[in-house]
Amino acid sequence: MNKSIRLFLIANLFTITVAKAQQPNIVWIVSEDNSKHYMKLFDEHGVATPNVESLAKDGIVFDRAFSNAAVCSAARSTLILSTFGPKMATHYHRAEGKVTLVNGQDMFPAFLRKAGYYTANNAKEDYNIKKPEDVWDDSSKKASWTNRKTGQPFFYVYNIETTHEGRMHFTKETMNSTKTITNPATVFVQPNHPQTELFKYSNAYYRDKIVQMDTEVGEVIEKLKKDGLYDNTIIFYYGDHGGVLPQSKGYLNETGLHVPLVVHVPEKYKNLSPLASGTRTNAFVSFVDFGATVLNLAGVEIPKVMDGKPFLGKNITTKTLDKKDETFGYADRFDEKYDMVRSVRKGNLKYIRNFEPFNVNGLMNEYRYKQLAYQEWETLYKQGKLNKDQSKFFEIKAVEELYDVVKDPFELHNLASLPEHKSDLKKMRKDLNCWMESMPDLSFYPEFYLIENAIQNPIAFGKEHKKDIRKYIDIANLEVLDFDKAAPKIEKLLKSNDQWERYWAMIVATSFGDQAKSLTAAVQAAMDSETENINKLRAVEFLSIVAHQNTTKNLASIVYAAKSDTEALLILNAVVLLKDYYQKQPVAIDVTKMDKKVAANDQVQRRLAYLKK
């Protein structure tokens, strides 16, 4: 080997070694179930969190950071893939069928491992995905950075459960015997909640949990400092989605999506951030971007299959951040409760699209209603003791909602029908439709159908059915028309040879409520000739909600005909909805007439147990 070649190889080896040595350690400290609204650093009604605030003094505060989903497994599946959930069918909580990753897709820590990183997760995963074996070096309650090789860069996730929803399942005895540090007499209770002693106590109790969580954040930071790693480690602190006080977790309100985010970038890695320490930014960053950002910080190529765009790292400038002014949200099934809602926020404006507006937000969800505040809220509604804003949770939703969330942070004043916001409405509706079509959004098929046909390769399924999904989106958007314009199209679609065109036509008809009574004969005829069990259900919903017919016998027979537990779960959602909010009559389900495997599903059993009460 001649001298020049040898010197060239040595120089390149030195460059590679230096590059490796300069790769930052990256730590995520994640607190469960808390939006930004309860921390003084982000909101005037929050409590002091000195450890997070200390991190902020030496870091960057992202004032507009968002989860794309308002519930754990859907949010975490978005994080771990850096890909939108409805594109992958990973957005149902929790998955009844886990998605298979193919064609170069992987959970982003796997790409870090291939680049020489040690990856450790302590300890929650909760993915709606079949986890490949190459993701974590260690994922357990003992996982730490300490087990890596000497000098090896690491990516470490530490999950804090202190603020989790389950911690709010206290009893009346607890309330009577345990004093909170936060004063219930002066604590802020958001205006759409009852201003009762229980809600005040719940708010104070939850804020105490935030303070406790902050102490645990401090413990992780102190351990990094003790190990001499603080100055070599980029630290993210964030909440994994919205809070757990009523109508936050599980809903696309800001309290369900808007999370705290602080990022500490050490002096030696300042070249990886366009923002100086101690600054705040209004750039919109979403969970879909987090994985891509970590890869970019680590100098790892971002796979083209990812939807996320980095907001820190190589080639990110202030101009890049200035262009980030939009975030998308999605909510479908949360445990046994179904809905289909999408949102887009751009600047101060927030657009929410309710595809099944007759699905009442307050519909029974067993885990959610373990919280005393939910129970009291429902009781007060039934007693007629709530004002208009407080009652909204238990009533039919608007098809479209538009809010200025800076002026109206709790989304009380819907601007969608105001002439002065007509152009805003059209623009944001178009943005949302373009996003859904581009993925495409697989939820235009019901979950049980996706489990049967899509989860082995959701990307391929989406590509194959992209034109059909665009067609179903167009049908769903008949809901935003005046009924007189929509009615002839709905009636024609009820006779379509495409079962999913009929499916969406029935949903759209039901969304018009009493306006659509003129379609009763057409829906009845469609039901009489219908061969698909799930379409019969949608017809029954219409006949119950719009035509005000007693359909309890029809509902029972549709439940018995369910071929899978997930199909039964969707049907039982309608059974409970109609019983509690429309027909208000009991529906007797004979479990012996159901398929045994279907009836054995835990979430199906929750619905059946509730119906027996």
Side-chain angles (χ1 to χ4, degrees), residues 441-472:
D441 192 322
L442 301 187
S443 280
F444 285 87
Y445 297 96
E447 183 187 17
F448 73 88
Y449 186 82
L450 295 177
I451 291 173
E452 293 166 2
N453 298 280
I455 63 170
Q456 295 303 318
N457 193 336
I459 296 295
F461 179 88
K463 286 180 179 178
E464 183 182 349
H465 295 85
K466 195 165 188 175
K467 288 183 179 179
D468 290 328
I469 292 171
R470 187 179 297 122
K471 181 173 58 176
Y472 305 145

Side-chain angles (χ1 to χ4, degrees), residues 348-363:
N348 293 347
L349 288 178
K350 169 86 165 286
Y351 174 76
I352 299 175
R353 176 71 166 87
N354 295 300
F355 286 91
E356 299 175 9
F358 46 84
N359 264 329
V360 174
N361 278 331
L363 184 66

